[in-house]
Amino acid sequence: MTPTHSPRVLRNLSAIGVGLALGILALVPALARSNPQAPWTAAERTMLKSLSLSSLAPLPADHSNKYADDAAALRLGNLLFNDARLSGNGQVSCATCHSSEKGFQDNIPLGKGVGTAGRRTMPIAGTAHSPWQFWDGRADSHWAQALGPLESAVEHGGDRLQYARVLRQHYRAEYEAIFGAFPNLQGLPERAGPVADSARAAAWARITPARRDSISRVYANMGKAIAAFERQITFTPTRFDRYVDAELAGRAPTPGDNFSDDERAGLRLFIGKANCVNCHNGALLTDNHFHNTGVPQSQDGARADSGRATGVRAVMASEFNCLSHYSDAKPSDCGELRFAVTDGEELVRAYKTPSLRNAVTRAPFMHAGQFASIERVLLHYDRAPSAPAGHSELKRLGLSGTEVRQLAAFLKTLVSSVAYPAPVTSYTP
Amino acid sequence: MRSLIRSTLAALTVATTATLMTGCMMFMKPPAASEFGRTRVGMAGVYRATITPAGDTIPQGVLQQWTLHLETVAGAPVDSATVTIDGGMPQHGHGLPTKPLVTTVLGNGDHLVEGMKFNMGGWWVVKFRIASAAGADTVIFNLKL
Ligand SMILES: [Cu+2]
């Protein structure tokens, strides 16, 4: 027996059907919020794809450093990164603060070398993708960046002539194989450089400009070798990446990589209501730009810190920037510097957006370790307090306790090991 | 008592203003799709401008070059104008991450714009302020990234 319906009944039924469907459609966004297992929309999938490590662009060329991808420079850089003879007291190397065992950072509020730095040590992984280095972007390449801590009185505490002597004594063959003949240092003082120490600064001023230039050239080359090493410090895929890649390929994630309800809800908040993805975007979860997010002034760092406002002035004036005499770039390769915003209120207390890869392992958080826990970080984003100076870009979020927990759960899926070139034990040209 | 009332009133005014202001920012909606064209006429109706980004889509997070074509509304190409560029994200209350400039006049109304960059997704506004013998005008482009 076939069911019989009059056409009118059918029409009515289909009208009810359409009505119901529309009703359900209207409810979908609400359902998605309450049902963490709701499928990702097309727009969300596009967003997820952009955040996966699989979408990371190839390592960008550094035109300012012609040795950036040179294998011998990388080996020398690896040695220099770990060499404490490159310091005022013979005890501090880059690795003192950027420890490979801690993802190239140190888990303390302010970096500690010969003295105490004014800000928190930044992890190095992935920063070859950034046009700016430091929290305030006061260097525009890895090699120029490396030359900052080396002559800082509170970090390595040495000077460029001292370092040129260390290189000449211990790495001459390696150096000359890459950069050519080592300059003659005879008749020069033991220590000299444009540093805070007045005796060494005065000694530097007494050296002829031509000899100063040849010492600064050795110094820049040291930076270029260290940069060749740093470029190869990279992030490896996290559970988040494996989950997204499986999701986009339409296969089930392997059991350990599947997301819990909290993790999915946290991810949905991250790319939705909580606006995190405005700044923490792309495969490294950073826009590599500067924002004032109303982070309080550091309690320990007594001096006022105006962030990018002073950082941009420093990079424009730097003797080692992309347009400088020591750079290998053509002016047309220096777009970021040439078109940088150099003034305005937006730069005040603006800091570089950190990558959120491994962020949860890097307590204390922010540029001077102002926040001890991820929960405290999320509370800050929820409340969006006004900034100690300048204007915060944040807006209040109105997160529930559950939502805070979900965001924290999601951030914990962004953890993986950092890959880096194996330590060099002996040098073989 | 009176001062208490006064300060309460003052506090209320501040709070209301603050709510209204943040409200405005948050509820500011991007304009209709028809306002997102690559050819636009200036606010004062003096110039018509066309932007041609290198490549079809506008990428996020990298410096890019655009060609800006300028002509009077009557269709005469304009080569001798002073052009300044600014913009930002109205919903986020910030400007452009870079300071783009017209670096070369290519001729026949075409100008090379360098240093253009957009560091996040959403609704962006780019304003070209143009001045020449034909007059002063501002041409505003809306972009969706
Ligand atoms: Cu924005």
Side-chain angles (χ1 to χ4, degrees):
Chain A
M1 204 187 136
T2 44
T4 55
H5 293 299
S6 76
R8 166 182 245 120
V9 172
L10 261 182
R11 228 181 356 252
N12 283 349
L13 271 180
S14 62
I16 292 169
V18 169
L20 264 178
L22 281 177
I24 290 171
L25 267 182
L27 276 173
V28 162
L31 282 177
R33 250 176 278 129
S34 57
N35 172 16
Q37 291 303 328
W40 299 103
T41 65
E44 284 172 334
R45 291 167 70 88
T46 308
M47 174 60 77
L48 294 185
K49 180 164 196 251
S50 72
L51 302 177
S52 166
L53 198 58
S54 323
S55 302
L56 184 64
L59 203 57
D62 178 357
H63 296 291
S64 72
N65 178 3
K66 63 180 174 199
Y67 311 99
D69 299 306
D70 180 304
L74 187 162
R75 272 200 307 277
L76 176 59
N78 195 345
L79 289 163
L80 298 178
F81 191 90
N82 292 290
D83 194 333
R85 288 174 297 201
L86 299 173
S87 63
N89 62 4
Q91 286 168 28
V92 178
S93 72
C94 308
T96 304
C97 301
H98 301 281
S99 157
S100 59
E101 279 154 37
K102 291 183 176 161
F104 289 89
Q105 52 93 53
D106 53 14
N107 287 116
I108 52 176
L110 304 173
K112 277 201 167 48
V114 171
T116 303
R119 300 203 185 116
R120 203 191 92 212
T121 305
M122 307 171 83
I124 296 172
T127 54
H129 291 266
S130 174
W132 307 109
Q133 304 296 322
F134 289 120
W135 288 105
D136 58 6
R138 68 182 179 280
D140 63 347
S141 67
H142 265 157
W143 66 272
Q145 188 287 327
L147 306 179
L150 284 166
E151 281 192 334
S152 148
V154 292
E155 296 182 54
H156 294 248
D159 54 75
R160 61 189 73 174
L161 183 52
Q162 175 199 352
Y163 300 145
R165 290 189 182 288
V166 172
L167 250 75
R168 197 180 160 91
Q169 191 181 343
H170 302 286
Y171 299 105
R172 183 163 181 179
E174 292 90 325
Y175 179 96
E176 291 191 333
I178 306 162
F179 303 109
F182 210 97
N184 178 359
L185 304 178
Q186 261 171 7
L188 291 173
E190 277 306 305
R191 293 183 162 207
V195 294
D197 178 88
S198 56
R200 285 182 282 151
W204 179 248
R206 283 192 296 271
I207 302 174
T208 64
R211 295 193 87 182
R212 283 206 300 253
D213 180 56
S214 65
I215 300 162
S216 294
R217 175 71 64 186
V218 171
Y219 193 46
N221 287 340
M222 263 179 78
K224 289 178 182 179
I226 294 174
F229 166 68
E230 289 179 294
R231 274 166 80 71
Q232 304 301 332
I233 305 175
T234 55
F235 292 112
T236 61
T238 62
R239 260 186 67 215
F240 165 73
D241 303 298
R242 291 191 295 270
Y243 168 75
V244 167
D245 292 355
E247 181 69 31
L248 294 174
R251 48 183 165 78
T254 41
D257 295 335
N258 209 351
F259 266 27
S260 70
D261 286 359
D262 267 6
E263 289 162 348
R264 279 178 75 107
L267 172 53
R268 195 165 257 128
L269 286 164
F270 188 87
I271 63 173
K273 173 182 169 181
N275 300 327
C276 311
V277 86
N278 283 352
C279 303
H280 297 282
N281 58 34
L284 295 177
L285 298 130
T286 167
D287 65 351
N288 288 318
H289 195 63
F290 307 92
H291 302 273
N292 180 326
T293 52
V295 170
Q297 190 80 48
S298 159
Q299 297 300 301
D300 320 279
R303 71 196 170 92
D305 186 331
S306 57
R308 182 62 176 163
T310 42
V312 75
R313 259 175 268 142
V315 72
M316 298 310 285
S318 165
E319 65 176 311
F320 297 117
N321 71 23
C322 184
L323 291 166
S324 75
H325 164 60
Y326 301 104
S327 158
D328 302 315
K330 298 190 295 293
S332 59
D333 296 323
C334 304
E336 292 283 355
L337 195 68
R338 285 166 59 218
F339 303 106
V341 175
T342 51
D343 44 38
E345 180 79 355
E346 279 182 32
L347 307 184
V348 176
R349 280 189 75 76
Y351 297 91
K352 191 168 86 170
T353 312
S355 170
L356 292 186
R357 294 188 173 273
N358 287 339
V360 293
T361 68
R362 295 199 299 261
F365 304 100
M366 305 300 173
H367 67 268
Q370 284 94 333
F371 300 145
S373 69
I374 275 293
E375 286 67 28
R376 179 65 189 82
V377 169
L378 294 171
L379 188 68
H380 175 82
Y381 281 112
D382 185 38
R383 288 186 187 157
S386 57
H391 292 288
S392 171
E393 286 179 36
L394 301 183
K395 300 189 184 81
R396 283 184 184 207
L397 297 175
L399 300 175
S400 68
T402 308
E403 289 174 322
V404 168
R405 187 190 73 220
Q406 292 167 334
L407 271 168
F410 163 63
L411 291 174
K412 289 175 190 151
T413 69
L414 291 168
V415 176
S416 66
S417 60
V418 169
Y420 57 97
V424 182
T425 40
S426 70
Y427 186 81
T428 38
Chain B
M1 188 62 199
R2 215 208 225 103
S3 76
L4 183 67
I5 293 174
R6 210 183 299 126
S7 56
T8 318
L9 271 178
L12 266 177
T13 320
V14 169
T16 325
T17 323
T19 321
L20 278 176
M21 279 174 67
T22 41
C24 279
M25 299 269 280
M26 302 220 308
F27 294 119
M28 190 187 282
K29 284 257 156 48
S34 58
E35 302 293 306
F36 281 74
R38 298 274 166 94
T39 297
R40 306 272 291 165
V41 171
M43 313 262 281
V46 181
Y47 303 104
R48 181 184 299 112
T50 303
I51 49 168
T52 314
D56 288 341
T57 55
I58 299 177
Q60 196 174 308
V62 289
L63 281 181
Q64 51 196 287
Q65 301 188 345
W66 287 5
T67 306
L68 169 73
H69 179 76
L70 281 184
E71 55 186 39
T72 62
V73 281
V78 176
D79 281 335
S80 56
T82 343
V83 182
T84 55
I85 308 165
D86 62 63
M89 297 186 84
Q91 289 169 308
H92 296 173
H94 62 73
L96 297 175
T98 54
K99 205 166 52 187
L101 298 171
V102 168
T103 54
T104 318
V105 179
L106 302 166
N108 208 17
D110 287 350
H111 299 69
L112 180 67
V113 178
E114 289 187 82
M116 204 54 103
K117 187 172 178 178
F118 304 97
N119 57 319
M120 57 179 82
W123 166 39
W124 288 86
V125 165
V126 178
K127 299 179 190 172
F128 293 91
R129 295 179 206 279
I130 305 154
S132 82
D137 199 355
T138 302
V139 188
I140 301 178
F141 289 88
N142 293 292
L143 308 168
K144 173 81 187 78
L145 260 93

